[in-house]
Amino acid sequence: MTMNARDILAWPHGDNDTDTVLSGLHFNITTLENWNYTLFSNGTLSNGTKCYLTFEPWAPALIFPNGTFINATKCWHPVYPIGPRAATGLGFAVAFGLCLVLTLVALNKHGRLYLPAQKRFHPIGRRWQWYWAIFTCATALISLFTNIDVDRYYLPEIPIVLTSFFWYLMQIGAIACSWEAVRHWGSWMERQFIDPDPFRLREEGRRYWIEFFLPLVAYLFMWLNFFIVVPRSWSKIEHQRYPEQVITDAEPTATDNRFKTAPFFLFATWLLTVFSLWHSIRHYCPRNRGIINRAIGLFKFTPTRFMLIVPLAFIVALFQAMVAWNFTWSPLNVRGKPEAIYPGGYAPALLIVLIQGIHGLTTPNEDRELMRQRRERGQTLDAELGIQRKPAWWSRVHGGAAGNETMRDRIMRNVCEIGGGGPTARNVKEAIHTRAAESSPNGPQDDMEMVSIPSPQHVVGVTGPIAPGDFASARHTATRYVGMTPSAASRQAELMMDGPPTTTRSGMEPPPPPYTDRPTDRPPMGSNHSAASSMSPSINSSPVQVRSMLDV
């Protein structure tokens, strides 16, 4: 701690030449001077490294020969009550807290996905404006809460640095929130523009490359503002302990060339925000002819919230430039005017976040809005084609699937309708009774060539009991459905009937020649056997026993 020589006071006289009295307490002057302590006019006792208050009720009670004080209070201690700057900051902190809640609700609402994510429109693109709003609220709250101790500290120290540091971060967040709101609105307009026709706007050309590089340039300017302001020594901002120190250290630091250059980068970002708004209106809104009509269309198609937040973003950059030239209005000034700091430094950022939060609560989710637009387009096309679609409740009322029916339930319902388990057994029983009813009651039963119908427990797909009468009646129809013949003569006649006879001019053509059940060896060349004798069927031979699919 350094002060002017005229601020240094002589030791008050005590009981003797080595005794001094501070706030009614006696101290040894030899010990104080041995540790280089000096008494200043602001009521502090300091040796350049340590500083203590010397007035009641924070005056030290005793000093030891080693220079240690008992019950001493350091100079950087909140001894004053809350002043106008801290009280106003508390009110703004409450407002920013409410905006933070609104922003979180809006992020939860608009950040959800109801449609598959597309490569052209990333889900994080719609969330960036809410992320920056959260960042703005968080930095503003830190700046405002640390601002309380700016009024309460006896000598300025770390609170003035923290409140100024996070105030500059809040300014960057407010500009970034405005930029992302405008940029994403253009992306949302493009998404609605190409949703009916995905190939209407290709990812190439001047429009595409402008939208590709514009965010990179905007964030470049914002990061330049950050790197010029933040990474620096902030210790001289604390040197506001007496008027001469403010003039020599604090004010020149707060108004140096770096602080004067930083606002121009925010202003460049603001210009890019306005250009992005104009670019989106030009490509995704109806076009007007003529300079006057274009100017009118620019204001006509600009959303209401952009009519508010874009000028507010300009005020953010403007006020940062003003405090770089006028230290009296600067938040870096411990004795700065609250009537200038809060309306110009905090109110624009608060209004930007508040407008964004209200917009998030009053507008629907973009995926849901896109689904609604698709339904409207489908209804319009159905009306043009004369198609009248049933409402959603129609299938449920007329025996359709229930609204809460899962895909597994639908598959099980279809399987039960087609067959399987109990329904399959019932179908087998019905088929047996039907065949028995169609068969002749006096049909042949004893000269069947193949095995008889198996017992009920061997019927595939039958899970329930089958009455013995079902199989007794089914024996009459075995010759028709199993492929068995009652006799060799009838079997030969059936094999000879390959199709209906063909009528020609000479009359009825004979049926095709008969064929045998088992192929015979071809007679050798020159044999007396004719082809007819070699191809004669073997009626009395046993039927072919198929043992596997390879024998077919």
Side-chain angles (χ1 to χ4, degrees), residues 151-167:
D151 282 352
R152 299 188 64 201
Y153 267 43
Y154 185 74
L155 293 181
E157 203 199 18
I158 193 64
I160 186 62
V161 174
L162 290 178
T163 188
S164 303
F165 178 85
F166 285 99
W167 179 78

Side-chain angles (χ1 to χ4, degrees), residues 326-330 333 335-337 340-341:
N326 190 347
F327 186 67
T328 305
W329 295 350
S330 176
N333 188 0
R335 301 291 180 260
K337 296 181 179 181
I341 294 175

Side-chain angles (χ1 to χ4, degrees), residues 15 83 186 471:
D15 295 340
F471 288 92

